[in-house]
Amino acid sequence: MIAHIDLDSFFVSVARLADPALAGKKIAVVGGKSELGSVILSASYEARADGVHSAQPVKQALVLCPQLILVRAQHGEYRKISREIYEFLLNFTPEIEKFSIDEFFLNLRGTPYDADALSFAAFLQSEIMRRFSLPCSVGLSEAKLIAKLATSLAKPFGVRQILKSQIARELSAVPVAKFPGIGKAAQKTLGKYGIISFGDALAHREIFEKMGANGRKIFAAL
């Protein structure tokens, strides 16, 4: 089994560690030399409810959410905490892929945790909160991309397992846009053929074949 760990709204969570008064408030972490001329790096879930999201210009975010609190990015602190979490995860398996500063893939095959991966995922989530005071979500599957998708569907602060045998049943109505690796260009191509959901995708292997090597790789992971 593959476990994918994603720290929920990581930059925001680190800001709240530094200033607990920010808990529950609409905040956004920004980068750039000047706050108003920069972009959103991460937004709290409270701010996301108003339409604030990453890569959005700060000026636009403030129109959507006038009460938004802007916090400066702390890149050195992010790297430090990410390294500490990676070292903690090494206690369970040496096969770890650091996918980004706030995402990790753990290969549980051959470990004692593979037999009851769901309980282990809940344990990891609890331990990361206890040790680092950071919320995370965990996805499980036999395939990396499905594990990553399971995490995104479990957020925030959730755990979800999607086995390959369950994909057709559990994901039939999920938009293909949520699948890792299907970018805007691929979505546009698939949309031309009426492929909007996972259910649509699973029924049309031939369309993915037409998309070349990348299309075949995506379909193989479905």
Side-chain angles (χ1 to χ4, degrees):
M1 193 69 66
I2 301 294
H4 174 253
I5 300 172
D6 193 347
L7 298 165
D8 295 333
S9 194
F10 180 48
F11 294 177
V12 168
S13 296
V14 172
R16 286 172 169 166
L17 282 179
D19 184 0
L22 295 173
K25 295 184 178 179
K26 298 178 180 182
I27 71 172
V29 176
V30 300
K33 294 182 178 180
S34 64
E35 288 184 348
L36 291 180
S38 59
V39 297
I40 304 295
L41 298 180
S42 180
S44 67
Y45 286 97
E46 295 85 356
R48 294 181 195 187
D50 288 344
V52 180
H53 58 80
S54 61
Q56 185 179 58
V58 168
K59 289 182 179 179
Q60 182 182 347
L62 289 171
V63 171
L64 295 170
C65 183
Q67 65 272 51
L68 187 66
I69 299 171
L70 303 178
V71 180
R72 278 287 186 192
Q74 307 172 60
H75 294 290
E77 188 67 9
Y78 306 145
R79 288 191 292 270
K80 173 179 174 290
I81 293 173
S82 180
R83 183 172 61 252
E84 290 174 351
I85 292 176
Y86 178 84
E87 291 171 355
F88 163 68
L89 295 174
L90 284 172
N91 289 307
F92 308 102
T93 175
E95 291 191 53
I96 301 173
E97 178 186 347
K98 189 172 181 180
F99 191 68
S100 67
I101 199 167
D102 59 352
E103 291 183 71
F104 308 87
F105 284 104
L106 280 67
N107 186 353
L108 302 183
R109 298 182 183 99
T111 72
Y113 317 107
D114 197 30
D116 190 357
L118 266 175
S119 295
F120 177 63
F123 163 77
L124 278 182
Q125 184 187 62
S126 175
E127 279 296 286
I128 289 172
M129 176 60 83
R130 185 179 71 84
R131 291 169 177 262
F132 303 99
S133 298
L134 293 171
C136 72
S137 294
V138 186
L140 297 163
S141 186
E142 302 97 330
K144 284 173 56 177
L145 293 184
I146 299 298
K148 183 173 170 62
L149 175 64
T151 308
S152 67
L153 296 175
K155 280 180 167 289
F157 201 64
V159 173
R160 184 164 179 179
Q161 177 176 270
I162 302 175
L163 303 178
K164 280 195 169 185
S165 61
Q166 300 170 328
I167 290 175
R169 182 178 72 251
E170 293 200 21
L171 302 180
S172 62
V174 174
V176 291
K178 288 186 173 292
F179 191 80
I182 298 184
K184 290 184 177 179
Q187 290 171 39
K188 186 175 180 180
T189 299
L190 294 172
K192 291 179 180 178
Y193 295 98
I195 298 176
I196 307 300
S197 70
F198 264 65
D200 300 329
L202 290 170
H204 291 285
R205 181 189 188 109
E206 73 280 2
I207 303 303
F208 288 85
E209 292 283 351
K210 290 180 180 180
M211 295 169 63
N214 188 52
R216 290 190 292 272
K217 180 180 178 182
I218 291 171
F219 190 86
L222 292 178

